[in-house]
Amino acid sequence: MTKKHVILTGDRPTGKLHIGHYVGSLKNRVALQNTGDYETYIMIADMQALTDNARDPEKIRHSLLQVALDYLAVGIDPAKSTILVQSQIPALNELTMAYLNLVSVSRLNRNPTVKSEIKQKAFGESVPAGFFIYPVSQAADITAFKADTVPVGEDQEPMLEQTREIVRSFNNIYQQEILVEPEGYFPPKGQGRIPGLDGNAKMSKSLDNAIYLGDSADAVQKKVMSMYTDPEHVHIEDPGHIEGNTVFTYLDIFADDTAHVAELKAQYQHGGLGDVKIKRYLNEVLQAKLQPIRERREQYAANEDAVYDILKQGSEKANQVAAQTLHEVRHAIGIDYFG
Ligand code: TRP
């Protein structure tokens, strides 16, 4: 029997997940899980979330449950995927310490994702050391499970590059092929990113421009009706622009009836199609996609104990796998003095 591919992926629990997460990675994960070709681990990275939220642990505690609900709601199935909580896997910390010796400070300084996050978070001179090194801890997350496939958004590519470097150094220095080099698995070009409701390139909680997977039908409708379209499209008769028009960007991503979308586009560009109409159509499309997700979310939310139980069982299983890798790593380094 050939060995199954292994998936490891995860999210920081700093809030509820939104439809940007859905198109950027969750959808991919569910599809991969359902192929049956992968051993799948999905991590709620609470320790990583603490690297820039140490003073607000309550936010992380609360978001942990929210993220778990979002996972279950979109169809991540605990019978097929192991959902685990990072802080419950002590081996990850030991692996991180071992890997930190294989990475230079200047190399960490060059990580473009971390660089832009540092700027955006306005840490000033007080970048938490744990935050600065989180790409190394992420390498521990990935390698602990010997994952070869990491389905994430494109902003995570630098983490994968860092992980591959660590794997190569480790295997090379300690002369054992223990760790596995991972590949990213990204959404098809142009499909992994969804702009915010306001037309901003990024959908995010801090910009307050997101539709959440748990939003009520009313909330979704209100948000859709407030979306950014074409500022030059003032009167219904005016010809409108498709390019940069958030409603059409969303329709391209979510609508299954592409022929109808093409018709609407032609009409809009010609003039005579109002924003309210296209927003109503988008609302219909989104409601149809989000309703089953919302319903499943509510079912699980009514039984929190069962959700925590899923996380506990997943973490226990993950713990065994990570402990085995740590055992091999200690042996390779030669620090397993007492057998
Ligand atoms: N850094 C990821 C994010 O911001 C979360 C994460 C933590 C992760 N550990 C991981 C992703 C391991 C993939 C693999 O979303």
Side-chain angles (χ1 to χ4, degrees):
M1 206 183 89
T2 54
K3 217 171 153 292
K4 262 196 182 182
H5 288 288
V6 179
I7 285 176
L8 180 288
T9 182
D11 297 279
R12 295 180 197 174
T14 53
K16 294 175 293 185
L17 302 181
H18 51 62
I19 59 173
H21 295 112
Y22 184 69
V23 299
S25 65
L26 295 173
K27 204 173 158 205
N28 248 341
R29 295 180 194 172
V30 174
L32 287 170
Q33 157 199 279
N34 291 338
T35 61
D37 296 338
Y38 297 87
E39 172 87 33
T40 303
Y41 297 91
I42 303 188
M43 168 184 291
I44 308 184
D46 57 341
M47 289 304 285
Q48 190 178 110
L50 282 166
T51 63
D52 63 330
N53 288 283
R55 285 167 183 77
D56 195 3
E58 195 42 46
K59 174 166 107 183
I60 308 308
R61 266 186 81 84
H62 173 76
S63 302
L64 180 98
L65 178 66
Q66 299 305 313
V67 170
L69 290 172
D70 288 327
Y71 284 172
L72 296 164
V74 297
I76 289 173
D77 176 354
K80 297 179 185 163
S81 295
T82 304
I83 307 178
L84 62 127
V85 179
Q86 188 184 32
S87 62
Q88 305 307 301
I89 319 294
L92 298 175
N93 303 314
E94 284 192 57
L95 290 173
T96 302
M97 286 303 282
Y99 298 166
L100 276 168
N101 301 327
L102 308 178
V103 178
S104 70
V105 172
S106 65
R107 172 65 182 89
L108 286 170
N109 254 326
R110 284 197 301 272
N111 185 308
T113 300
V114 175
K115 247 194 211 166
S116 74
E117 283 173 329
I118 285 176
K119 215 184 266 163
Q120 182 206 327
K121 291 175 197 290
F123 289 129
E125 294 298 299
S126 308
V127 179
F131 184 84
F132 182 64
I133 63 130
Y134 90 73
V136 180
S137 129
Q138 193 158 326
D141 300 341
I142 295 168
T143 55
F145 300 95
K146 304 194 177 175
D148 56 9
T149 309
V150 183
V152 278
E154 278 157 24
D155 64 327
Q156 297 295 302
E157 176 56 29
M159 311 307 156
L160 290 159
E161 191 51 42
Q162 179 72 79
T163 303
R164 286 190 287 267
E165 286 175 29
I166 289 171
V167 168
R168 286 196 287 266
S169 295
F170 185 95
N171 289 345
N172 183 33
I173 293 167
Y174 302 112
Q175 289 297 308
Q176 301 201 31
E177 294 297 313
I178 290 174
L179 303 180
V180 176
E181 283 191 42
E183 286 298 328
Y185 185 97
F186 304 104
K189 270 268 170 279
Q191 283 179 35
R193 206 162 234 255
I194 168 164
L197 295 165
D198 54 359
N200 191 298
K202 208 177 150 144
M203 177 173 281
S204 84
K205 185 177 42 181
S206 48
L207 296 170
D208 191 23
N209 63 2
I211 293 178
Y212 294 95
L213 295 169
D215 274 351
S216 69
D218 269 3
V220 172
Q221 183 179 8
K222 278 208 189 82
K223 288 178 180 181
V224 170
M225 296 315 283
S226 78
M227 275 174 73
Y228 177 83
T229 55
D230 171 9
E232 286 166 38
H233 188 241
V234 184
H235 306 290
I236 292 183
E237 319 80 71
D238 293 344
H241 293 95
I242 305 298
E243 193 77 359
N245 186 323
T246 317
V247 173
F248 282 106
T249 310
Y250 283 25
L251 283 174
D252 281 337
I253 294 170
F254 292 102
D256 296 323
D257 189 349
T258 49
H260 185 56
V261 174
E263 260 170 48
L264 290 176
K265 281 183 181 171
Q267 227 184 326
Y268 194 83
Q269 281 171 311
H270 176 267
L273 180 59
D275 282 357
V276 170
K277 279 218 172 125
I278 55 169
K279 286 177 175 174
R280 283 210 185 116
Y281 179 58
L282 174 61
N283 181 53
E284 263 173 48
V285 165
L286 280 180
Q287 298 289 358
K289 298 262 165 185
L290 292 176
Q291 194 194 343
I293 294 177
R294 184 185 308 126
E295 279 171 6
R296 222 169 338 187
R297 202 179 191 284
E298 282 165 4
Q299 279 165 16
Y300 280 108
N303 196 352
E304 285 183 12
D305 287 350
V307 176
Y308 280 112
D309 207 50
I310 289 170
L311 298 181
K312 181 162 181 265
Q313 285 183 25
S315 300
E316 278 166 6
K317 177 177 169 200
N319 221 344
Q320 289 177 11
V321 178
Q324 172 59 30
T325 303
L326 177 63
H327 176 81
E328 292 167 23
V329 161
R330 284 168 157 268
H331 181 72
I333 301 175
I335 51 173
D336 56 342
Y337 308 111
F338 312 123

